[in-house]
């Protein structure tokens, strides 16, 4: 595996690459509090048939932690990704995004559709459509960001891992739960708080009106136990009926963590369908 630190627009972005350059490429973007390591088990299932690239997003993992929240905005992160893909000479690839990484993946694809051969969104959304909802969410994110900086990373993680969104993860083996906790504890207070302020769901613009006009094949994956995001995915699918949506039984928000082999198999089968169908959705 190539473990790289690449200079991009004033940042040092951490990238993990596996596989030969001639193979089709799958790029993975993690969620809030995650790192490229969250994809390890999934990426192992792609070995030999795809080149995989996992990226630490701004303020997470080994990527630079900017001091100003504005540097975490959706617009900045889209341009960081575009510059990174230019640096890596990636003309086209498949893009997989989870939760926050899914929102970034969707926004990137809307702006640079020709690079993305297919988009896979796990437990993600196009943002909040209603301005009042965005204002309320922005205030909630600001409050949480303040608590992270005031109370520290350990206190935050203690609370974060017990929110209802991650209830299904409590049934995971102890070693896996500890690995998830350690990944979260390795983050910095500044990185997480600025991420909430700069690219929280309340801060980004809504992309709901862009869905129906997207030319890319899109695959939505949600967990049966994650009712909120199952509903969001169905609403997205209603606006873009050619997209595919699968609900994974007995899985929560982070399907790639709870059922990595199944998650990888679903993606590989979808990409094979795309390749055989000549790009059909």
């Amino acid at each position: 595996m190539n473990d790289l630190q690449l200079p991009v627009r004033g940042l040092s972005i951490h990238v993990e690459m596996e596989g030969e350059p001639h193979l089709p490429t799958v790029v993975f973007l993690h969620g809030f509090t995650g790192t490229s390591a969250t994809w390890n088990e999934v990426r192992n299932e792609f070995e030999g048939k795809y080149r995989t690239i996992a990226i630490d997003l701004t303020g997470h993992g080994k990527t630079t932690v900017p001091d100003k929240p504005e540097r975490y905005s959706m617009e900045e992160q889209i341009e960081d990704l575009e510059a990174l893909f230019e640096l890596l000479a990636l003309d086209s690839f498949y893009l997989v995004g989870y939760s926050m990484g899914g929102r970034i993946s969707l926004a990137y694809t809307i702006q640079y559709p020709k690079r993305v051969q297919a988009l896979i969104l796990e437990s993600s959304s196009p943002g909040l459509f209603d301005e009042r909802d965005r204002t309320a969410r922005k205030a909630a994110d600001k409050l949480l960001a303040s608590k992270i900086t005031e109370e520290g990373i350990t206190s935050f993680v203690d609370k974060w891992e017990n929110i209802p969104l991650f209830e299904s993860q409590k049934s995971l083996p102890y070693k896996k739960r500890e690995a998830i906790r350690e990944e979260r504890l390795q983050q910095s207070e500044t990185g997480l708080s600025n991420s909430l302020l700069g690219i929280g769901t309340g801060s980004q613009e809504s992309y709901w009106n862009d869905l129906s006009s997207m030319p890319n094949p899109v695959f939505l994956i949600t967990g049966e136990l994650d009712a909120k995001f199952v509903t969001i995915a169905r609403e997205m699918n209603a606006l873009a009926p050619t997209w595919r949506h699968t609900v994974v039984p007995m899985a929560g928000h982070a399907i790639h963590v709870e059922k990595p082999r199944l998650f990888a198999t679903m993606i590989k089968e979808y990409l094979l369908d795309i390749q055989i169908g000549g790009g059909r959705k």
Side-chain angles (χ1 to χ4, degrees):
M1 181 181 295
N2 291 322
D3 193 332
L4 307 171
Q5 291 291 143
L6 299 175
V8 176
R9 300 182 69 237
L11 304 181
S12 175
I13 295 183
H14 178 242
V15 176
E16 291 187 357
M17 300 177 62
E18 183 75 34
E20 298 300 321
H22 69 274
L23 294 171
T25 299
V26 183
V27 175
F28 294 88
L29 300 184
H30 63 77
F32 180 64
T33 77
T35 68
S36 54
T38 192
W39 301 109
N40 286 351
E41 288 186 83
V42 172
R43 293 173 65 207
N44 287 341
E45 300 295 322
F46 286 79
E47 188 174 353
K49 293 186 177 180
Y50 291 89
R51 176 171 62 159
T52 62
I53 299 176
I55 301 165
D56 284 354
L57 293 166
T58 308
H60 288 72
K62 298 176 184 177
T63 288
T64 302
V65 179
D67 293 328
K68 296 182 178 180
E70 295 80 9
R71 189 60 183 81
Y72 295 70
S73 72
M74 183 66 79
E75 294 75 17
E76 292 282 359
Q77 298 214 33
I78 290 173
E79 292 313 308
D80 288 341
L81 287 175
E82 176 62 5
L84 176 63
F85 297 147
E86 285 280 359
L87 184 63
L88 294 172
L90 285 181
D91 293 327
S92 63
F93 49 86
Y94 303 107
L95 184 57
V96 180
Y98 160 65
S99 199
M100 180 189 77
R103 290 190 286 111
I104 295 172
S105 297
L106 176 63
Y108 175 85
T109 303
I110 290 170
Q111 188 155 334
Y112 294 100
K114 292 183 179 180
R115 282 204 195 272
V116 182
Q117 292 173 277
L119 174 65
I120 296 91
L121 298 177
E122 175 194 5
S123 308
S124 195
S125 83
L128 297 169
F129 185 80
D130 188 86
E131 181 64 35
R132 290 170 298 181
D133 291 340
R134 288 202 298 273
T135 299
R137 179 60 180 270
K138 193 171 183 178
D141 286 344
K142 184 176 181 180
L143 179 61
L144 181 56
S146 297
K147 288 185 177 180
I148 293 173
T149 55
E150 292 168 5
E151 299 175 8
I153 195 70
T154 301
S155 176
F156 164 70
V157 170
D158 287 343
K159 296 172 183 175
W160 185 251
E161 64 188 5
N162 284 296
I163 65 174
L165 196 66
F166 303 121
E167 181 66 29
S168 57
Q169 292 185 13
K170 293 182 179 180
S171 62
L172 291 171
Y174 174 78
K175 286 187 177 180
K176 180 168 279 192
R177 284 187 282 116
E178 282 300 295
I180 296 169
R181 177 176 171 82
E182 186 58 32
E183 182 180 39
R184 290 167 174 160
L185 287 172
Q186 288 175 1
Q187 310 293 348
S188 75
E189 289 90 349
T190 300
L192 293 187
S193 61
N194 280 349
S195 184
L196 282 170
L197 295 172
I199 200 170
T201 308
S203 297
Q204 74 160 77
E205 67 174 283
S206 168
Y207 294 105
W208 282 98
N209 290 332
D210 297 287
L211 304 184
S212 61
S213 60
M214 289 179 62
N216 313 76
V218 180
F219 184 20
L220 307 172
I221 305 175
T222 51
E224 176 188 25
L225 305 178
D226 187 13
K228 174 182 176 181
F229 281 88
V230 169
T231 298
I232 290 172
R234 285 173 176 161
E235 291 172 348
M236 294 170 71
N237 205 179
L239 292 172
T242 59
W243 294 6
R244 186 180 301 181
H245 176 213
T246 295
V247 179
V248 180
M250 299 305 295
H253 192 63
I255 304 112
H256 73 281
V257 172
E258 297 177 31
K259 299 180 183 291
R261 182 168 294 179
L262 174 61
F263 183 79
T265 299
M266 292 170 61
I267 293 176
K268 287 189 292 182
E269 289 178 350
Y270 178 71
L271 297 186
L272 184 60
D273 285 348
I274 292 295
Q275 292 157 9
I276 292 175
R280 65 180 174 84
K281 300 178 184 182

